[in-house]
Amino acid sequence: GKVRAPTHIICTISDDRGEEPTYGGVTMSELMEGDANVGDAIGLLWFKRRLPRYATKFVEMCVVLCADHGPCVSGAHNTIVTSRAGKDLISCLVSGLLTIGPRFGGAIDDAARYFKQACDAGQDADEFVEALKQKGVRVPGIGHRIKSKDNRDKRVELLQRYARKHFPSTRYLDYAITVEEYTLQKAANLVLNVDGCIGALFLDLLSSVGMFSPAEVQEVVDIGYLNGLFVLARSIGLIGHALDQKRLQQPLFRYPWDEVLYTK
Ligand code: ACO
Ligand code: LMR
């Protein structure tokens, strides 16, 4: 029989060997004829399937809505400082991306994990929140530095509105909202934030599209696909900030002394 040398790597998502490249077996021509968007590319390359239109549109909405949130947030700040230090575009981008984590933009996977476990177990919101508090864990997907009960996050509103109109079910979002109702009784800034909203809605999307088995949904949650959405989206804004500083020929950044509390 044929003797096959062992391969160095395995790839199951794309192929560049034929006349035209494919994503998940779909040719570039088919993608272009079908008016494919970023959601289609993510569907094929991350989730390894063609997502229905309402789902790819939702993915695109997440990317557009999370692309930037002004210059003051952690990521943009780092990118701006790096750009002003004269560094190249990729260094500026990466220095901003490195701030994405459990407090900033990188709470989507944990929000999905915690909401899924609690909702599937039928745990009441108050029990869920109090159990995390006992462990000293902040509820991922809840809380914001500037958004609050009376100053809602428009992005969260827009995503919810779309899901209620187009998703077959919003079971996990509904659960996350019961959590928010409870945390808002504690403090006005403990709103469902954009990470939490995307985490809950992705659970709804994957569970209701009818293409993901419960085990596959669990795999997405366990591996942690969803922070990638924020990383992808925010890269757009971070690149914008890096270029903005260069265009404005901003000098090296240095904090004024009176912005620092020097103390022993
Ligand atoms: N769950 C439970 N309690 C919370 C939460 C939470 N998610 N967030 C804040 N609190 C409590 C704190 O324990 C604190 O109470 P304490 O002083 O008695 O300990 C009080 O609220 C105020 O906390 P602060 O640290 O002042 O809140 P801050 O406004 O700085 O935090 C943050 C904002 C970092 C987003 C926080 O709410 C948090 O860690 N949330 C969970 C992580 C998360 O979802 N991050 C994504 C944010 S959206 C984005 O980045 C795109
Ligand atoms: C963001 O999208 O960057 C934020 O929600 C975080 C913030 O503090 O505004």
Side-chain angles (χ1 to χ4, degrees), residues 174-240:
D174 297 340
Y175 182 75
I177 288 183
T178 66
V179 172
E180 179 189 51
E181 279 164 6
Y182 184 72
T183 53
L184 281 178
Q185 292 170 29
K186 292 174 175 274
N189 75 322
L190 295 185
V191 288
L192 178 67
N193 60 41
V194 74
D195 280 13
C197 180
I198 293 175
L201 284 177
F202 245 91
L203 291 175
D204 284 321
L205 190 70
L206 301 179
S207 313
S208 59
V209 158
M211 285 192 289
F212 292 82
S213 67
E216 286 171 330
V217 177
Q218 193 59 49
E219 185 182 52
V220 168
V221 169
D222 290 344
I223 290 180
Y225 287 35
L226 304 176
N227 287 342
L229 273 174
F230 192 90
V231 170
L232 176 78
R234 193 51 60 95
S235 294
I236 299 171
L238 295 177
I239 291 171

Side-chain angles (χ1 to χ4, degrees), residues 54-55 57-58 61 156-170 173-174 201 204-205 208:
Y54 77 88
K57 168 80 184 150
F58 172 73
M61 280 178 73
V156 172
E157 254 177 59
L158 292 166
L159 290 170
Q160 284 190 32
R161 196 181 308 157
Y162 180 83
R164 293 205 189 285
K165 191 159 169 205
H166 298 280
F167 285 19
S169 155
T170 54
L173 173 69
D174 297 340
L201 284 177
D204 284 321
L205 190 70
S208 59

Side-chain angles (χ1 to χ4, degrees), residues 53-116:
R53 201 67 189 168
Y54 77 88
T56 61
K57 168 80 184 150
F58 172 73
V59 173
E60 268 214 338
M61 280 178 73
C62 293
V63 172
V64 172
L65 292 174
C66 293
D68 197 39
H69 209 230
C72 303
V73 306
S74 303
H77 174 84
N78 262 24
T79 288
I80 288 169
V81 171
T82 309
S83 186
R84 290 180 56 167
K87 301 281 301 215
D88 62 286
L89 182 63
I90 295 174
S91 302
C92 298
L93 168 64
V94 168
S95 83
L97 288 179
L98 288 175
T99 64
I100 297 176
R103 293 183 182 170
F104 168 66
I108 310 180
D109 282 311
D110 271 345
R113 280 182 195 121
Y114 280 95
F115 289 150
K116 183 171 189 310

Side-chain angles (χ1 to χ4, degrees), residues 119-169:
C119 181
D120 290 353
Q123 192 175 31
D124 286 336
D126 56 338
E127 236 181 84
F128 168 64
V129 173
E130 294 306 328
L132 287 183
K133 192 176 175 184
Q134 288 234 312
K135 290 187 208 149
V137 175
R138 290 184 173 196
V139 186
I142 293 286
H144 201 274
R145 293 302 296 262
I146 59 163
K147 293 294 164 191
S148 68
K149 196 177 186 171
D150 306 312
N151 172 28
R152 291 302 182 123
D153 191 327
K154 196 70 191 174
R155 299 169 295 181
V156 172
E157 254 177 59
L158 292 166
L159 290 170
Q160 284 190 32
R161 196 181 308 157
Y162 180 83
R164 293 205 189 285
K165 191 159 169 205
H166 298 280
F167 285 19
S169 155

